[in-house]
Amino acid sequence: KTSKLKLSMDSLLKNMLEHPEITCQEYMQLEYFLENAEYILLKNEKNLIYFKIDNCLYQFVIKNTKDCSENFLTTFHKASIKQLNKDISRYKQIKR
Protein backbone atom coordinates (compact mmCIF):
# COMPACT_ATOMS: atom_id res chain seq x y z
CA LYS A 1 0.00 0.00 0.00
CA THR A 2 3.01 2.28 0.36
CA SER A 3 6.35 2.64 -1.35
CA LYS A 4 7.98 4.46 1.57
CA LEU A 5 10.63 2.71 3.59
CA LYS A 6 10.95 3.80 7.20
CA LEU A 7 13.86 3.41 9.57
CA SER A 8 13.32 4.09 13.26
CA MET A 9 16.04 5.78 15.26
CA ASP A 10 16.21 2.72 17.54
CA SER A 11 16.74 0.39 14.57
CA LEU A 12 19.32 2.69 13.04
CA LEU A 13 21.34 2.96 16.27
CA LYS A 14 21.15 -0.79 16.89
CA ASN A 15 22.21 -1.56 13.33
CA MET A 16 25.06 0.96 13.41
CA LEU A 17 26.41 -0.66 16.58
CA GLU A 18 26.03 -4.24 15.32
CA HIS A 19 27.11 -3.55 11.73
CA PRO A 20 29.60 -0.66 11.68
CA GLU A 21 30.70 -1.67 8.16
CA ILE A 22 27.60 0.08 6.77
CA THR A 23 28.22 3.76 6.02
CA CYS A 24 25.76 6.65 6.23
CA GLN A 25 26.03 6.98 2.44
CA GLU A 26 24.90 3.35 2.06
CA TYR A 27 21.85 3.96 4.28
CA MET A 28 20.96 6.87 2.02
CA GLN A 29 21.14 4.60 -1.05
CA LEU A 30 18.65 2.00 0.20
CA GLU A 31 16.12 2.91 -2.48
CA TYR A 32 18.74 2.38 -5.18
CA PHE A 33 19.79 -0.96 -3.65
CA LEU A 34 16.16 -2.08 -3.54
CA GLU A 35 15.62 -1.15 -7.19
CA ASN A 36 18.80 -3.01 -8.17
CA ALA A 37 18.45 -6.00 -5.87
CA GLU A 38 19.74 -9.29 -7.19
CA TYR A 39 17.36 -11.33 -5.04
CA ILE A 40 14.23 -10.49 -3.08
CA LEU A 41 12.90 -13.32 -0.96
CA LEU A 42 9.69 -13.47 1.06
CA LYS A 43 10.03 -14.74 4.63
CA ASN A 44 6.64 -14.47 6.38
CA GLU A 45 5.96 -10.73 6.63
CA LYS A 46 9.58 -9.85 5.84
CA ASN A 47 11.40 -9.26 2.57
CA LEU A 48 15.05 -10.31 2.41
CA ILE A 49 16.86 -8.14 -0.11
CA TYR A 50 20.28 -9.20 -1.43
CA PHE A 51 22.51 -7.00 -3.59
CA LYS A 52 26.18 -6.27 -4.27
CA ILE A 53 28.39 -3.27 -3.60
CA ASP A 54 31.85 -3.56 -5.18
CA ASN A 55 31.52 -7.36 -5.46
CA CYS A 56 30.57 -7.73 -1.77
CA LEU A 57 27.19 -9.24 -0.98
CA TYR A 58 24.86 -7.34 1.35
CA GLN A 59 21.42 -7.98 2.76
CA PHE A 60 18.78 -5.80 4.27
CA VAL A 61 15.43 -6.84 5.65
CA ILE A 62 12.16 -4.98 5.30
CA LYS A 63 9.31 -5.83 7.63
CA ASN A 64 5.77 -4.93 6.62
CA THR A 65 3.01 -4.07 9.05
CA LYS A 66 0.11 -6.55 9.04
CA ASP A 67 -2.07 -4.24 6.98
CA CYS A 68 0.89 -3.50 4.64
CA SER A 69 0.50 0.23 5.23
CA GLU A 70 4.10 0.69 6.38
CA ASN A 71 7.51 -0.81 5.60
CA PHE A 72 10.37 -0.75 8.10
CA LEU A 73 14.04 -1.55 7.66
CA THR A 74 15.03 -3.96 10.43
CA THR A 75 18.65 -4.78 9.55
CA PHE A 76 21.32 -4.01 6.97
CA HIS A 77 24.62 -5.91 6.85
CA LYS A 78 27.19 -7.80 4.81
CA ALA A 79 26.02 -11.26 3.86
CA SER A 80 27.59 -14.49 2.68
CA ILE A 81 26.89 -16.63 -0.37
CA LYS A 82 26.22 -19.49 2.05
CA GLN A 83 23.42 -17.52 3.74
CA LEU A 84 21.98 -16.43 0.39
CA ASN A 85 21.88 -20.02 -0.87
CA LYS A 86 20.28 -21.19 2.36
CA ASP A 87 17.61 -18.48 2.12
CA ILE A 88 16.96 -19.22 -1.57
CA SER A 89 16.25 -22.85 -0.70
CA ARG A 90 13.90 -21.93 2.16
CA TYR A 91 11.89 -18.89 1.03
CA LYS A 92 9.75 -17.82 -1.89
CA GLN A 93 11.64 -15.83 -4.50
CA ILE A 94 10.02 -12.58 -5.60
CA LYS A 95 12.87 -11.33 -7.80
CA ARG A 96 16.02 -12.80 -9.26
Side-chain angles (χ1 to χ4, degrees), residues 5-27:
L5 179 58
K6 296 183 177 186
L7 175 60
S8 73
M9 187 58 73
D10 289 341
S11 292
L12 176 61
L13 290 174
K14 179 182 173 195
N15 203 74
M16 289 177 84
L17 289 171
E18 292 179 5
H19 305 289
E21 73 275 13
I22 306 301
T23 66
C24 290
Q25 182 180 1
E26 290 166 338
Y27 283 104

Side-chain angles (χ1 to χ4, degrees), residues 10-67:
D10 289 341
S11 292
L12 176 61
L13 290 174
K14 179 182 173 195
N15 203 74
M16 289 177 84
L17 289 171
E18 292 179 5
H19 305 289
E21 73 275 13
I22 306 301
T23 66
C24 290
Q25 182 180 1
E26 290 166 338
Y27 283 104
M28 295 176 71
Q29 292 180 300
L30 284 170
E31 217 174 276
Y32 172 80
F33 298 144
L34 181 57
E35 289 172 4
N36 294 285
E38 294 191 29
Y39 292 92
I40 300 177
L41 309 171
L42 183 62
K43 177 185 177 184
N44 302 322
E45 75 280 355
K46 297 177 183 179
N47 291 291
L48 311 178
I49 292 87
Y50 284 93
F51 61 95
K52 288 184 180 175
I53 302 173
D54 298 328
N55 291 323
C56 290
L57 187 63
Y58 288 79
Q59 179 202 58
F60 65 94
V61 177
I62 298 173
K63 182 175 183 179
N64 308 94
T65 56
K66 289 188 187 220
D67 66 357

